[in-house]
Amino acid sequence: MASALVGCPYQVLTTIHPMSASALSPPYEAAFAALPDAAFLLDDTGRVLACSLAGARSLGLTVEQVAGRHCAELGLQPQAVASLESTRAQVLASRGPVAVELPWPTMQGAAPHAVLLTPLPSDGAAPSRVLLTARPLTEAEAMYARALEVEQAARAEMETAERRRSFLYQAMTTLFTHPPDPQGMYTLLAHLAVPDLADWCLVDALEQGPWVARVAVASLDPTQQERAHALPPRTEMHEDAPVGLLRVLRTGEPELVPAVTDSLLRAAAAEPAHPALLRLLQARSYMIVPLRARGHTLGAVTFVSSDSGRRYGPDDLALAEDLCLRASLAIDNARLVGESRRAARAREDLLAVVSHDLKNPLGVVQLGAALLTRGAAGKPGSEAVAKQAARIHDAAERMSRLISDLLDWGRLEAGRLPLDASEHSAAALATEALESIRPLAEAKGLLLQADLPPESLRVRCDRGRVLQVLGNLLGNALKFTPLGGTLAVTVTARRGEVDFSVRDTGTGIAPEALPHIFDRYWQARDAASRGTGLGLAIAKGLVEAHGGTIRAQSVPGVGSTFTFTLPVQGPGPTGAPPPGLAPPNL
């Protein structure tokens, strides 16, 4: 309403002659009393020195009855008194007039008025008196004031909502980018709440058994944080706690107390820890919000207002609940990640122990089988002995491969599979893999084919691991290709990568099974021999560890083709390196 007040005719009174100790000199007293609107002359404490007749009539009093009263005793509403006092102080400090719109008391009740406060000079010194004039707003001005009030309220609500969104976004970003450590997140949560939501923030977590442990504390004044150490670090759960932390943990419902009163402290006397906390932290208002995730209560957060004097309301509780919801998800995720890592380490340790304990007796079995085969030559019954020794040897070899597969899978899942990367010829890798299965293929009457690139095409890889992938694919093809079939290996270069393809003319893979062949523990139903079901899953992990991809195509009754890619390293098939290619960091 400042624009409606600027033209107030009483601004001319700023030219009044400097005043003496009396309220008004006689020449001005009659003119002041006859002013058509309410006018009051206030001293430096806010007391009325002089009043116009219109001003006295608006209050239902005489001029004599108004004189000597403080402006807070003129019948104004408490909010209007606070606004008037702050404006009067502003006028005396700035030495300039200030206009405000206030509900001013009248014979018919409070009505919107344009109130102008003007400092009056006093013998060249700082102004010590203020002229207050109150003029009823016209209908148009009142409508404008109401519209302005609505606009300001809407703007304030939008600003509050924006601050809330910004706070929650920052909190969520901070929590979910923090390393997955529950204790660190508890501490982070407490410090996120101070000072935006609380003067004190305490985080308590449920432990195994009937205990609650305080896991984090944050204070607006770090020098006062030692006070929190006087509180018990652990509390035993009680089923009958009427208020406070234990009730929130038991029910899973938040608790909002706008004002801490003596009656509340008496009601909480059954659980001494709660009133002791409120007294120690000098709490004036508090909220306790549970931390819940996947239907379970993880703990609770206590927000305390003390020195700031703020009183919590429903909006504050809603914001605290939003914060705790996000924090609960982050803390629960961190706990799950920790459990997963511990389980992976335990599994890897178990596999290491099992492999170590099995490989020694397995070596003895393999050595015994070899000695049996060698010692049976030329002796009666040697053919049967040799046959049984060969079976023992094959079984031991299969057990050794199973152990290796389990160890490799454990390392892949833990992300700790070592790769010894160097440059190798793509053609040489394919040739070596083919030669390793040639005796078995020829024994089964299979035709081996190869379509290989020049030796200049090189890849950067772990030679042993790539041969493991090729051996796995060729071994599966050999197993499922009938007598007289064909196995083919093709190596082709594309822009920036090399494709290794293994094709067979075997039984093929059913369409419904094809999407699952790289899943761990998957096996074909008609597999001739049983393994861990990890072979193709390990092959996929090894290829992806090199920065490549693997895929499969199959037509039942016609055959299957498995293709994996590796990045090119060095000169391509044309002798020039592919543009923009950088060697992978292995």
Side-chain angles (χ1 to χ4, degrees):
M1 282 306 300
S3 59
L5 301 174
V6 169
C8 180
Y10 304 116
Q11 291 182 11
V12 297
L13 288 176
T14 58
T15 60
I16 287 180
H17 188 275
M19 298 181 183
S20 61
S22 61
L24 286 170
S25 53
Y28 300 103
E29 187 174 356
F32 187 84
L35 290 174
D37 290 330
F40 304 85
L41 182 63
L42 309 178
D43 66 8
D44 56 352
T45 66
R47 293 198 173 277
V48 178
L49 298 175
C51 171
S52 67
L53 291 173
R57 279 197 300 267
S58 69
L59 302 176
L61 301 171
T62 64
V63 172
E64 291 75 14
Q65 290 174 323
V66 175
R69 294 193 179 196
H70 193 276
C71 61
E73 301 173 331
L74 299 181
L76 277 73
Q77 299 171 358
Q79 188 174 358
V81 170
S83 177
L84 184 61
E85 282 292 276
S86 63
T87 304
R88 188 175 64 83
Q90 179 184 349
V91 166
L92 291 173
S94 65
R95 305 188 184 188
V98 177
V100 293
E101 185 264 318
L102 293 175
W104 194 263
T106 66
M107 295 294 292
Q108 293 77 31
H113 276 57
V115 178
L116 179 68
L117 288 88
T118 306
L120 298 181
S122 178
D123 298 328
S128 59
R129 300 183 184 186
V130 174
L131 175 66
L132 183 155
T133 59
R135 175 176 58 83
L137 295 179
T138 65
E139 184 176 352
E141 288 173 337
M143 290 179 61
Y144 175 76
R146 286 193 293 271
L148 185 61
E149 184 179 351
V150 171
E151 180 183 353
Q152 290 173 341
R155 185 181 296 113
E157 184 176 351
M158 289 178 61
E159 290 174 352
T160 301
E162 180 59 33
R163 286 195 300 270
R164 174 175 174 167
R165 283 194 297 270
S166 177
F167 171 73
L168 290 175
Y169 175 78
Q170 180 183 2
M172 183 175 65
T173 302
T174 304
L175 286 167
F176 281 92
T177 55
H178 190 274
D181 168 32
Q183 179 55 54
M185 287 188 173
Y186 288 134
T187 303
L188 185 61
L189 171 60
H191 285 86
L192 280 172
V194 176
D196 291 312
L197 272 177
D199 302 333
W200 287 86
C201 182
L202 300 89
V203 184
D204 294 88
L206 284 171
E207 292 184 334
Q208 294 292 336
W211 292 98
V212 185
R214 181 143 301 129
V215 290
V217 177
S219 170
L220 183 63
D221 184 358
T223 63
Q224 298 295 319
Q225 197 153 325
E226 290 297 323
R227 277 196 280 168
H229 295 311
L231 298 169
R234 298 172 77 238
T235 306
E236 189 173 4
M237 282 290 294
H238 293 301
E239 292 298 324
D240 57 349
V243 295
L245 172 67
L246 300 184
R247 187 201 70 84
V248 171
L249 290 173
R250 185 185 77 248
T251 63
E253 297 294 330
E255 184 172 297
L256 168 65
V257 175
V260 176
T261 61
D262 292 338
S263 59
L264 172 76
L265 296 176
R266 286 194 297 272
E271 178 49 54
H274 184 59
L277 180 148
L278 298 179
R279 291 191 182 98
L280 186 66
L281 303 185
Q282 299 176 354
R284 299 185 181 182
S285 180
Y286 73 84
M287 302 180 291
I288 306 178
V289 180
L291 294 169
R292 292 181 57 83
R294 296 183 294 129
H296 299 287
T297 300
L298 309 178
V301 183
T302 303
F303 304 87
V304 175
S305 167
S306 57
D307 295 339
S308 66
R310 81 174 96 187
R311 290 199 173 190
Y312 292 126
D315 290 343
D316 300 303
L317 180 62
L319 180 57
E321 287 183 306
D322 283 346
L323 173 64
C324 289
L325 173 62
R326 288 157 174 77
S328 299
L329 294 175
I331 292 167
D332 191 48
N333 286 343
R335 294 175 66 175
L336 291 175
V337 169
E339 291 174 4
S340 175
R341 288 178 175 174
R342 287 191 294 273
R345 284 195 297 269
R347 180 185 57 201
E348 193 172 346
D349 292 342
L350 176 63
L351 288 175
V353 171
V354 169
S355 65
H356 179 270
D357 290 347
L358 284 180
K359 280 187 175 181
N360 287 336
L362 194 58
V364 174
V365 172
Q366 290 173 317
L367 179 60
L371 291 175
L372 280 175
T373 303
R374 187 182 310 166
K379 293 182 180 180
S382 61
E383 183 177 350
V385 173
K387 185 176 181 179
Q388 295 302 322
R391 288 181 178 177
I392 295 172
H393 184 270
D394 290 345
E397 286 291 332
R398 188 160 61 250
M399 290 175 64
S400 181
R401 286 196 301 272
L402 294 178
I403 293 171
S404 296
D405 283 351
L406 289 172
L407 288 174
D408 283 346
W409 181 252
R411 295 190 191 104
L412 281 170
E413 281 207 322
R416 293 197 291 269
L417 180 72
L419 292 179
D420 183 13
S422 57
E423 291 186 29
H424 298 279
S425 165
L429 290 170
T431 300
E432 186 174 353
L434 274 173
E435 290 303 318
S436 68
I437 67 156
R438 184 177 294 277
L440 295 175
E442 290 178 349
K444 199 173 180 180
L446 301 181
L447 175 64
L448 296 182
Q449 295 178 346
D451 183 4
L452 305 179
E455 287 290 328
S456 60
L457 180 63
R458 304 180 71 79
V459 293
R460 180 175 178 81
C461 64
D462 184 321
R463 173 181 166 277
R465 294 301 187 180
V466 172
L467 289 176
Q468 183 180 349
V469 174
L470 285 168
N472 183 288
L473 299 180
L474 287 167
N476 284 343
L478 183 69
K479 184 190 307 182
F480 295 106
T481 302
L483 296 175
T486 301
L487 296 183
V489 175
T490 303
V491 181
T492 56
R494 293 190 301 165
R495 185 176 182 82
E497 61 186 16
V498 178
D499 286 349
F500 291 80
S501 295
V502 175
R503 179 177 58 84
D504 64 61
T505 57
T507 56
I509 304 169
E512 64 273 12
L514 196 59
H516 306 290
I517 59 174
F518 293 109
D519 295 346
R520 57 181 177 178
Y521 310 123
W522 180 88
Q523 292 178 323
R525 292 183 180 178
D526 56 347
S529 61
R530 297 296 178 182
T532 59
L534 291 173
L536 289 177
I538 291 172
K540 181 175 183 289
L542 291 174
V543 170
E544 291 177 346
H546 283 82
T549 59
I550 189 169
R551 61 188 183 275
Q553 297 173 309
S554 184
V555 178
V558 176
S560 305
T561 301
F562 286 79
T563 303
F564 68 91
T565 64
L566 292 177
V568 169
Q569 174 68 28
T574 61
L581 181 69
N585 182 13
L586 300 176

